[in-house]
């Protein structure tokens, strides 16, 4: 059941948070048993109010009602559209039809056509240029273009120099028990940093170069050190930008947790699993921190979590059976998301097997190499005959860790 | 919980059936809430017994025990290995170690290396040539090579001219309430024909040309019309080969059910769904029989069933959003299995959308065309702007049905 939180998070900012534990697959892709929130903000100034972003498409009526509980809709002077993905922009048509006709909409120049094509409306859009400051309702919003975080039209804004509305940037999955990250228990803080990393890997991971560029730009021009509140569109707010900016810089830069190995394997009848178990034993002996994701006859790991653990692993193990003279079908999806969402500065050990003809090992390693990963070894064994590969499996484990420690 | 059925299905043949409702993904791929059985057979002759195939790897002890309940293990003269996939061959090592050391193993010439590489044993294998008849234990087994149904080493055998041990061929998912298809209720018969079709599409679909070749060969040389009992390795037995042979010929030949359309769509925020709903309305008006499979934020259809309904559809609709300047990631998996498992003599209507740049439509239709499908139209719209595509959506529906009726 969805739940609505309506609470003041700063002197002049009210959080309208839709807590969604019904969506099973974020973007119809990413498993999120932890749920997700859509955070909208209402800024209240002397001269009226500003609505910042909105809720997922499908909750238009509830969203407008919630705004009404905070301000008289006639006092809303402006709507800010940081990002056009419909988990934030989905209420635009209903919202704008409830507001006075001269309400201004602020967004990236590219947002104009998108609003029209998404929702069939032509709003009174003020296309903001990068760095521009605008006075609205007695408040000042300064806008910054942050292209490809994670769409081309993405922008962020800073309210009176102190509140950063960052939209998807610095967002996370999960439904926090309290609005601010800093007010969560230490265990919950750890959990929400994991959700933020998982979200980053799933949603923003393809655009790590742009993360670095945009962070560099923002730190130069947006006086990030003066930011008191980071108000993203998903998950908890943060007091100050330091924690999240440093994590983003680290994730996007390909920093890895020392000794962390993400092991992904698919096994139909246990042969691949037998080889992976040898590797896992060896990795454990070598003190690696191993995260295992499995696609088996009774179990399927979440792809979303797999990416979350791949992004800061030092090395990956990818183990895939041959199937119908090709790689195991699920590997097409898994390799697609790994090669598009994960930094390429990782060593990968490929394990494959086959019944009557070796295919998967070559194909998987070709895909990984083409994407830029460093494939340190490919072991391809027939059936369950791992005996002659034991030495190479053990050496491979060592190679992954030692090579990555160089 | 697995369950064991041990029952005589012919004067000289005992069925040992493991009913498995625990496996969620057959081959770690195919969703089977209906479960699956592994059928082994014990042939009892005047001179001893023959064990035909076995159970899935993991049930070795139970399998050997079950044989022991039917015959004295010392009386087993031969083991027949029709197919090396470990859902049938998985008990071989334990079985052979329980039998007398001079027990003969009959299999395809290619099975020798496979047995050794799968299970680390070197059995006393008699490699059977195509069409050879062998007298064992007072019985006659005639072997036929049926390559690529669905592995290169696949064979079938005929017992005394009347019982066809067909292994995966003519098999089906599901756990029947009684051994023979013909003894099922009409509703259950219909259900098991669907399971057989789904199984065919999932497991054998890639090799339809070989299905036709092998059927033609068997009907010439194996006196199929004299077969009284078809005893496959999954699902119910059949009295006579006619029903299943005719279905296989039809499925492999690309015969389609008149007016049947399989609609597969992925939608993140409902835009694709809006377009698909227009199509569905139109298809319904035109009297089509539509099967819909969906990948949404709260729902994922079974891929196994999707293929089962695609294989005999006259036409397909495939609707995919653009995502990260590529097609929606799940489409990589779905198109992989569709292009490899489904007959290509179908018309396909591709629907795609995009937020900021059109990619999916072209990419999806290129993949389908490269595989040999006839892509009749590609509609690619921006956001939710389906208004200008309404006419083409409706025409597309008509084109799919009328063109395919020509």
């Amino acid at each position: 059941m969805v739940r609505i939180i309506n609470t003041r998070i700063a002197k002049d900012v009210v959080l309208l948070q839709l807590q969604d534990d019904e969506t099973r697959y974020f973007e119809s892709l990413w498993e999120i048993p932890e749920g997700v929130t859509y955070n909208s903000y209402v800024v209240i100034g002397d001269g009226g109010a500003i609505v910042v972003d909105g809720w997922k498409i499908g909750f238009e009526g509830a969203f407008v009602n919630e705004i009404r509980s905070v301000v008289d809709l006639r006092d809303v002077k402006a709507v800010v559209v940081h990002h056009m993905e419909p988990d934030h922009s989905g209420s635009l048509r209903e919202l704008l039809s409830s507001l006075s006709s001269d309400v201004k909409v602020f967004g990236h120049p590219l947002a104009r056509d998108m609003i029209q094509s998404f929702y069939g409306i032509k709003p009174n859009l003020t296309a903001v240029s990068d760095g521009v400051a605008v006075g609205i309702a007695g408040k000042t919003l300064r806008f910054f273009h942050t292209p490809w975080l994670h769409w081309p039209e993405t922008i962020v804004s800073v309210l009176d120099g102190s509140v950063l509305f960052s939209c998807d940037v610095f967002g996370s999955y999960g439904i926090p028990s309290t609005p601010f990250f800093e007010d969560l228990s230490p265990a919950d803080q750890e959990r929400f940093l994991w959700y933020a990393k998982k979200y980053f890997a799933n949603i923003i991971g393809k655009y790590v170069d742009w993360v670095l560029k945009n962070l560099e730009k923002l730190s130069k021009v947006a006086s990030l050190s003066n930011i008191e509140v980071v108000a993203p569109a998903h998950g908890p707010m943060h007091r100050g930008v330091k924690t999240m900016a440093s994590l983003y810089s680290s994730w996007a830069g390909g920093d890895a947790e020392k000794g962390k190995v993400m092991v992904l394997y698919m096994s139909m009848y246990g042969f691949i699993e037998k080889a992976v178990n040898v590797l896992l034993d060896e990795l454990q002996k070598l003190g690696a921190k191993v995260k295992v994701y499995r696609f088996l006859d009774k179990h399927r790991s979440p792809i979303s979590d797999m990416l979350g653990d791949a992004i800061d692993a030092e090395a990956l193990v990818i183990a895939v059976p041959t199937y119908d003279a090709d790689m195991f079908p699920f590997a097409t999806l898994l390799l697609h998301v790994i090669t598009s969402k994960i930094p390429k500065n990782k060593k990968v050990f490929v394990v494959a097997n086959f019944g009557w003809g070796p295919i998967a090992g070559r194909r998987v390693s070709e895909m990984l190499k083409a994407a830029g990963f460093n494939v340190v070894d490919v072991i391809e064994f027939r059936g369950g005959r791992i005996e002659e590969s034991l030495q190479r499996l053990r050496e491979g484990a060592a190679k992954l860790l030692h090579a990555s420690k160089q």
Side-chain angles (χ1 to χ4, degrees), chain A:
Chain A
M1 213 179 63
V2 300
R3 199 166 152 242
I4 292 168
I5 301 295
N6 177 332
T7 187
R8 192 168 290 261
I9 55 142
K11 192 167 51 68
D12 44 10
V13 181
V14 174
L15 163 70
L16 303 182
Q17 181 176 68
L18 184 74
Q19 302 187 333
D20 172 7
D21 63 357
E22 294 178 343
T23 291
R24 295 177 61 195
Y25 310 108
F26 189 73
E27 291 187 336
S28 298
L29 273 173
W30 314 112
E31 304 89 343
I32 47 162
E34 65 269 37
V36 66
T37 72
Y38 316 103
N39 306 337
S40 169
Y41 301 91
V42 179
V43 177
I44 298 166
D46 294 337
I50 308 166
V51 174
V52 176
D53 295 325
W55 293 348
K56 188 180 179 184
I57 194 164
F59 297 96
E60 298 85 337
F63 179 58
V64 174
N65 274 343
E66 209 57 33
I67 298 172
R68 197 179 275 123
S69 78
V70 178
V71 291
D72 188 324
L73 292 184
R74 288 166 300 188
D75 292 339
V76 174
K77 302 300 178 200
V79 172
V80 176
V81 178
H82 287 113
H83 173 33
M84 277 301 298
E85 196 165 5
D87 52 338
H88 310 296
S89 70
S91 312
L92 263 184
R93 185 170 48 202
E94 287 69 12
L95 175 63
L96 293 176
S97 74
S98 310
L99 301 178
S100 77
S101 60
D102 61 349
V103 70
K104 282 190 172 173
V105 177
F106 291 90
H108 190 281
L110 290 172
R112 190 188 309 276
D113 282 356
M114 296 174 92
I115 294 175
Q116 199 184 336
S117 68
F118 282 33
Y119 305 113
I121 52 174
K122 289 187 187 182
N124 177 19
L125 183 87
T126 303
V128 296
S129 50
D130 191 17
V132 72
V134 179
I136 327 162
K139 292 285 170 187
T140 302
L141 273 178
R142 196 163 169 213
F143 295 97
F144 299 97
H145 291 194
T146 48
W148 301 106
L149 293 188
H150 57 119
W151 280 15
E153 88 302 357
T154 325
I155 59 173
V156 301
S157 62
V158 176
L159 173 68
D160 291 341
S162 69
V163 177
L164 171 66
F165 295 116
S166 61
C167 201
D168 278 348
V169 181
F170 306 144
S172 74
Y173 296 132
I175 298 175
S177 56
T178 182
F180 277 94
F181 174 83
E182 289 74 12
D183 299 334
L184 294 168
S185 70
D188 271 2
Q189 288 193 3
E190 195 175 342
R191 202 156 55 86
F192 275 86
L193 290 183
W194 158 248
Y195 294 152
K197 183 168 66 180
K198 174 178 166 183
Y199 178 87
F200 179 90
N202 294 177
I203 307 303
I204 300 182
K206 176 154 177 167
Y207 303 105
V208 287
D209 293 344
W210 286 98
V211 172
L212 297 175
K213 276 186 217 174
N214 279 301
L215 278 180
E216 197 188 338
K217 177 175 102 174
L218 287 181
S219 66
K220 275 188 197 149
V221 298
S223 309
L224 286 188
S225 56
N226 295 334
I227 296 296
E228 289 164 21
V229 171
V230 176
H234 299 292
M237 280 97 262
H238 296 263
R239 295 205 174 92
V241 78
K242 211 170 151 186
T243 307
M244 291 312 295
S246 129
L247 286 171
Y248 263 51
S249 163
S250 164
W251 295 331
D255 291 355
E257 187 179 338
K258 206 167 168 58
K260 180 173 179 182
V261 181
M262 195 287 287
V263 175
L264 166 66
Y265 73 93
M266 294 144 249
S267 189
M268 290 190 282
Y269 297 109
F271 295 145
I272 284 278
E273 189 161 53
K274 204 162 70 161
V276 167
N277 284 339
V278 172
L279 254 171
L280 290 176
D281 275 356
E282 195 64 20
L283 286 168
Q284 199 179 14
K285 275 184 207 152
L286 295 169
K289 179 183 174 186
V290 180
K291 296 285 180 170
V292 183
Y293 292 88
R294 306 174 301 151
F295 288 76
L296 307 176
D297 62 349
K298 297 188 182 73
H299 176 84
R300 245 170 225 183
S301 294
I303 299 173
S304 53
D305 290 37
M306 183 273 291
L307 289 177
D309 267 325
I311 199 164
D312 63 349
E314 280 200 285
L316 313 177
V317 172
I318 300 182
V320 182
T322 296
Y323 181 95
D324 269 2
D326 202 334
M327 59 186 177
F328 185 70
F330 238 89
T332 58
L333 171 61
L334 298 171
L335 285 169
H336 178 84
V337 295
I338 286 174
T339 53
S340 66
K341 301 275 191 182
I342 296 302
K344 310 302 181 287
N345 63 338
K346 296 181 193 305
K347 297 201 153 42
V348 189
F349 186 25
V350 174
V351 177
N353 85 331
F354 61 97
W356 37 268
I359 305 275
R362 184 170 48 77
R363 202 152 290 180
V364 169
S365 56
E366 274 168 6
M367 276 186 74
L368 290 166
K369 281 178 194 166
F373 286 100
N374 175 7
V375 177
V376 296
D377 202 358
V378 184
I379 287 185
E380 189 143 28
F381 60 97
R382 188 168 187 184
R385 195 154 73 189
I386 62 165
E387 290 68 23
E388 49 240 65
S389 304
L390 288 178
Q391 188 60 23
R392 269 175 73 200
L393 281 166
R394 295 199 186 101
E395 284 168 8
K399 212 183 282 184
L400 281 180
L401 289 172
H402 296 152
S404 60
K405 275 180 191 158
Q406 279 171 353

